[in-house]
Amino acid sequence: MTDFADHIGLRVRFYDPLGTRHGFPTFPYQMAPTGLATRRQLRAAGLRPGGHDPVAQILWRRGKRIAYLYRLDLAAPKRVATPAQRQAIAKALRARRTCRDCGQVKPYYIPRRYGCCLDCHEGDS
């Protein structure tokens, strides 16, 4: 293992900051260096990767789970939807709640497998 793993007295399976073993700088769960964040952490901070590629990764659960890390200093602010985009989204979501058969707007999304609201589907049976 590395000097770091020997220093803390643990056998750290996914600690590979130089990327020699995993081909990409790799850190175990909750051991990422400061200045790096996952997409979810960026989103919570109101940021986005800004078109930059990940610079490291976190592995956990025997290497079956992975999260890519992005540099905070290269992150850009999240984009905000314009009023026209919000209106288009609202229109599309309303269409997903409108029954094709009866034309009613339901408080739930119309199941795609039926193509109609649950009331119309039960009436067909």
Side-chain angles (χ1 to χ4, degrees), residues 97-110:
R97 294 180 310 148
T98 305
C99 178
R100 292 185 214 160
D101 294 347
C102 65
Q104 291 182 358
V105 178
K106 298 293 182 176
Y108 56 87
Y109 293 127
I110 305 299

Side-chain angles (χ1 to χ4, degrees), residues 87-98:
Q87 189 176 11
I89 291 168
K91 186 177 177 183
L93 293 178
R94 183 179 174 91
R96 288 181 60 193
R97 294 180 310 148
T98 305

